[in-house]
Amino acid sequence: MASNRPAPEAPFVPSRHDSETFGYGEYRTDEGPWTEWNPTEESLRPARGRHRVAKQRGGLGRSSTVLGVGVIAAVGAGGIASANTGKSPVSISLPDLPSVGSLISDDDTPEPTATALSTVGTTSEASEASTAASADAEQSASDAGEVLRSRILAQAEQQQDQIESKAAADAAAAAEKQAAAAKKQAEQEAKAKAAAAKQAAEEEAEKKAEAERLAELAQQFALPTSSYTLTGTFGQAGSMWSSGYHTGLDFAAPTGTLIKAIHSGTITEAGWAGSYGYRTILKLDDGTELWFAHQSSISVSVGQKVNTGDVIGRVGATGNVTGAHLHLEVHPGGAATGIDPMAWLQSKGINP
């Protein structure tokens, strides 16, 4: 099996040594003296062969400083380097060397250049710069997160303001709509009240006008007799009347009670009329005929003009009767069929 060739020994100079040795009281020939030796890549090139030592991996093999220390330890395998007691240590200057793996490998592939001793100081600066950059990145990330948080809060506040504004607008619109509806309802109620008041006033005015008219008519119209009792009404059914129902209004009163003209007009008939007994017909200016029947006596003649309240005869029991009474009929326009005398008298302001 082939082995790596040993490293060459440092040159020995007997005449140059210190007066005292490190750790001993006398000089020993097997310890030195030593001189400063700077190994180079040519002096430490490893022997080639089929068997090679595997490359060292890791940060330790990459450092030129550690490599220098390892070379010094390999050179001084036979003893310990001496040093002058109390003197300042001698500085060792080492050139930039390849990594340890490249020194002991028979592979021709070059290793990456090791970091020079001069760059050791810059490594710390780079680390500090990297740390500062990381801190700046973290600060930037923190600032970005704060900006994002502020933006989200602002958007949320804006959305909340929009929601509140919309709610306020909806409430205002609802209040306005409700106020408009209340106003409209109040206007309708006011109109209804005004219409009702107007109608009531009109009705009151009509009633007053009608009362005045009736009062005036009452001065022009009068009841046909006095001290009477109503014993028969218009339309009353019975076998005593040839038509099957009563055609007038009966005022029962003692025989001889005065019969007066209800309104002014002209006498168109005065005499006997069969079942009506003695009858007088008074025609008014509007053409209405008033029939006064069953009289005991007649006090006027045909063609005579009479005024309201003039005596035209007396109550009797002539004709088809069961007792003394005045039978009154009303025939508008001289029609053969009469109307209810009660309603006609009331329309003239007279209540029998």
Side-chain angles (χ1 to χ4, degrees), residues 253-320:
T255 301
T257 304
L258 297 178
I259 299 174
K260 299 177 181 180
I262 297 175
H263 190 59
S264 62
T266 302
I267 302 299
T268 59
E269 180 180 325
W272 182 261
S275 60
Y276 284 99
Y278 289 104
R279 180 181 69 181
T280 299
I281 297 178
L282 175 62
K283 186 176 182 179
L284 306 182
D285 295 338
D286 63 356
T288 302
E289 293 182 353
L290 303 180
W291 294 4
F292 302 88
H294 307 304
Q295 297 180 65
S296 60
S297 62
I298 298 175
S299 302
V300 292
S301 59
V302 174
Q304 183 180 349
K305 299 285 186 182
V306 296
N307 294 319
T308 303
D310 291 347
V311 176
I312 60 173
R314 293 179 181 272
V315 175
T318 60
N320 188 9

Side-chain angles (χ1 to χ4, degrees), residues 12-278:
F12 176 70
V13 182
S15 63
R16 296 176 61 183
H17 61 82
D18 295 333
S19 60
E20 60 180 356
T21 60
F22 178 80
Y24 299 94
E26 59 183 3
Y27 172 73
R28 296 182 61 177
T29 60
D30 58 349
E31 293 182 352
W34 308 95
T35 61
E36 182 177 351
W37 175 58
N38 295 325
T40 64
E41 185 178 358
E42 294 298 332
S43 64
L44 295 179
R45 182 176 296 278
R48 296 182 178 277
R50 293 184 302 172
H51 301 281
R52 61 184 179 181
V53 180
K55 292 182 180 181
Q56 295 182 1
R57 303 297 180 181
L60 182 60
R62 301 295 180 182
S63 174
S64 61
T65 303
V66 177
L67 176 61
V69 176
V71 172
I72 294 173
V75 172
I80 302 175
S82 62
N84 293 327
T85 306
K87 295 181 179 180
S88 301
V90 178
S91 62
I92 299 175
S93 177
L94 296 177
D96 293 338
L97 298 177
S99 62
V100 176
S102 64
L103 296 177
I104 62 178
S105 174
D106 57 356
D107 192 358
D108 293 336
T109 303
E111 288 289 328
T113 304
T115 304
L117 292 175
S118 60
T119 62
V120 173
T122 60
T123 303
S124 175
E125 294 177 358
S127 176
E128 292 178 358
S130 176
T131 303
S134 298
D136 293 340
E138 292 179 357
Q139 183 64 28
S140 299
S142 176
D143 294 341
E146 185 64 24
V147 171
L148 179 59
R149 177 176 176 273
S150 299
R151 185 177 299 174
I152 292 174
L153 292 177
Q155 291 178 353
E157 185 176 358
Q158 184 179 5
Q159 292 177 357
Q160 183 65 25
D161 292 340
Q162 292 177 355
I163 292 173
E164 292 178 356
S165 298
K166 186 176 183 303
D170 293 342
E176 184 177 359
K177 184 177 180 181
Q178 185 176 2
K183 182 179 179 181
K184 184 177 181 181
Q185 183 177 1
E187 291 178 353
Q188 291 177 351
E189 291 178 355
K191 289 181 179 179
K193 290 181 179 179
K198 183 179 179 181
Q199 184 178 1
E202 290 177 353
E203 292 177 355
E204 185 68 21
E206 290 178 358
K207 289 180 179 180
K208 184 177 180 181
E210 181 67 12
E212 292 177 355
R213 186 185 71 83
L214 293 176
E216 185 179 357
L217 288 175
Q219 295 177 0
Q220 300 176 10
F221 291 82
L223 285 171
T225 187
S226 59
S227 301
Y228 63 88
T229 301
L230 295 178
T231 57
T233 57
F234 179 82
Q236 184 178 356
S239 58
M240 296 182 295
W241 302 286
S242 59
S243 61
Y245 64 93
H246 194 214
T247 57
L249 182 64
D250 289 345
F251 295 82
T255 301
T257 304
L258 297 178
I259 299 174
K260 299 177 181 180
I262 297 175
H263 190 59
S264 62
T266 302
I267 302 299
T268 59
E269 180 180 325
W272 182 261
S275 60
Y276 284 99
Y278 289 104

